[in-house]
Amino acid sequence: MKAHYVRPLDLRHGRVDLNHGAGGRAMAQLIDELFARAFANDWLAQGNDGAVLPAPAAGERLVLATDAHVVSPLFFPGGDIGSLAMHGTVNDVAVMGARPLYLTASFILEEGFPLADLARIVQSMAAASRSAGVPVVTGDTKVVEQGKGDGVFISTTGLGALPAGRELGGALARPGDAVLVSGSMGEHGMAILAQRESLSFESAIVSDSAALHGLVDALLAAVPAVHVLRDPTRGGLATTLNEIARQSGVGMQLDEAAIPVHPQVAAACELLGLDPFYLANEGKLVVVCAADAADAALAALRTHPLGSDAARIGTVTADPQYFVQARTAFGGQRMLDWLSGEPLPRIC
């Protein structure tokens, strides 16, 4: 008996249809020819409703982080929703001090979305997965009717292993601690805005989207006295520092001139009336550590390509109001409050 011929997916001209999410042959073909092929690994090849994973090393604890990605546009300078989904979840696990091990991915597709664009997103995410050494081990796909989605949404969950004795968290900042950042602020948010609004600048602004677990490893190997790690995504640096201040019951005093911002981002913000300290980042760390460890932390960050522009930007203070303030270039004080409203929606 001849095998039943199934026409391959038309990844050049085809489009997503409702059958691709219906659980039948079309869905199986989409999974086999696109997702399974791109993300290929032993756990995914099990083909079950979930992945059976090995236990972490003795004494290690599990860290679980979940994220949803609705960025618009789907493709932007420096990345796309696929690589962003991988980087964002890896980073959420890494800033807990954990070693990222595995990811899950759920795709919600809109009917009519070009399969060529979907393939580009999946392949980008798979490349980011391989580069990070963090496999996608299970997932899901759903399709919604045309007009009820916006191309592609991706939800991810990351699992990591936290070594015994390591404790990092937003409630652990103490008065006198140093506040550091691993590089310049605002590039991802401005890259998204420029792409979305078709803005042209003399120098292209590129998203900083990157997996940070290698940078975190280098930092923690050199400086065990790190108290807090965060990646300042939505709401930017200012909102992230306010979160830490509230969790720890402290204030922060920053030096505005010490906070690195690339000249093209600063110029674009001045033109558009935006503040770079509230723009999203997808490849930067905020570090709070003991003051006597700050120089060693800076040195460790600067030895890594993703931390070459690291800077010490301020100090944790005792403040019952939990204020985050910055000393301006003119010698005054500026309050950096929580982000109010949503000046730039759907940046991740």
Side-chain angles (χ1 to χ4, degrees):
M1 181 181 295
K2 292 184 178 180
H4 180 69
Y5 172 76
V6 177
R7 183 178 180 180
L9 283 176
D10 183 357
L11 294 177
R12 178 172 296 182
H13 304 294
R15 292 183 178 272
V16 172
D17 64 44
L18 292 175
N19 289 326
H20 288 129
R25 187 185 300 276
M27 181 173 172
Q29 184 181 22
L30 180 68
I31 291 170
D32 290 344
E33 295 185 20
L34 183 54
F35 293 103
R37 190 171 295 173
F39 294 124
N41 58 71
D42 291 342
W43 297 279
L44 195 61
Q46 292 169 5
N48 297 317
D49 285 346
V52 178
L53 305 170
E60 291 186 324
R61 294 154 292 165
L62 294 176
V63 169
L64 191 68
T66 193
D67 210 349
H69 311 274
V70 298
V71 66
S72 177
L74 298 173
F75 304 96
F76 49 85
D80 54 64
I81 192 172
S83 59
L84 181 66
M86 173 61 63
H87 294 155
T89 307
V90 165
N91 294 346
D92 285 346
V93 173
V95 296
M96 294 294 295
R99 182 178 74 259
L101 298 175
Y102 311 104
L103 252 69
T104 74
S106 177
F107 285 72
I108 299 177
L109 311 176
E110 183 182 13
E111 179 187 17
F113 188 70
L115 286 175
D117 287 345
L118 178 60
R120 181 179 168 190
I121 289 166
V122 171
Q123 289 159 6
S124 173
M125 188 173 181
S129 169
R130 290 189 295 272
S131 178
V134 183
V136 175
V137 297
T138 190
D140 190 29
T141 305
K142 296 291 192 299
V143 179
V144 298
E145 299 92 336
Q146 193 162 20
K148 295 187 177 180
D150 194 8
V152 178
F153 297 150
I154 304 176
S155 179
T156 47
T157 297
L159 185 68
L162 183 66
R166 179 176 292 174
E167 298 291 342
L168 298 172
L172 299 179
R174 297 291 178 262
D177 282 353
V179 182
L180 289 65
V181 293
S182 65
S184 54
M185 297 289 106
E187 290 154 39
H188 177 73
M190 188 53 68
I192 294 295
L193 177 61
Q195 183 74 8
R196 185 184 297 167
E197 303 299 333
S198 300
L199 302 176
S200 297
F201 300 104
E202 186 173 340
S203 298
I205 298 174
V206 177
S207 170
D208 60 345
S209 179
L212 294 170
H213 55 315
L215 180 61
V216 171
D217 287 346
L219 171 65
L220 295 180
V223 184
V226 171
H227 299 156
V228 185
L229 284 178
R230 285 286 172 84
D231 54 334
T233 55
R234 284 172 296 172
L237 174 67
T239 299
T240 298
L241 293 179
N242 274 280
E243 290 173 353
I244 297 170
R246 183 182 68 174
Q247 284 183 266
S248 294
V250 298
M252 295 191 186
Q253 179 63 58
L254 309 180
D255 180 359
E256 186 174 270
I259 303 173
V261 180
H262 280 172
Q264 60 266 42
V265 172
C269 285
E270 185 174 354
L271 176 67
L272 299 171
L274 298 173
D275 188 330
F277 302 156
Y278 289 91
L279 293 181
N281 310 273
E282 290 291 347
K284 299 299 190 302
L285 290 176
V286 171
V287 181
V288 179
C289 66
D292 59 6
D295 289 343
L298 278 177
L301 291 170
R302 289 170 177 167
T303 60
H304 193 281
L306 295 177
S308 58
D309 294 329
R312 182 172 181 173
I313 65 169
T315 302
V316 177
T317 62
D319 184 347
Q321 302 300 320
Y322 314 154
F323 287 158
V324 177
Q325 303 179 73
R327 186 179 306 105
T328 70
F330 302 102
Q333 286 285 97
R334 172 190 175 197
M335 186 73 70
L336 291 179
D337 205 349
W338 292 78
L339 176 67
S340 179
E342 180 53 283
L344 187 56
R346 296 182 59 183
I347 45 76
C348 62

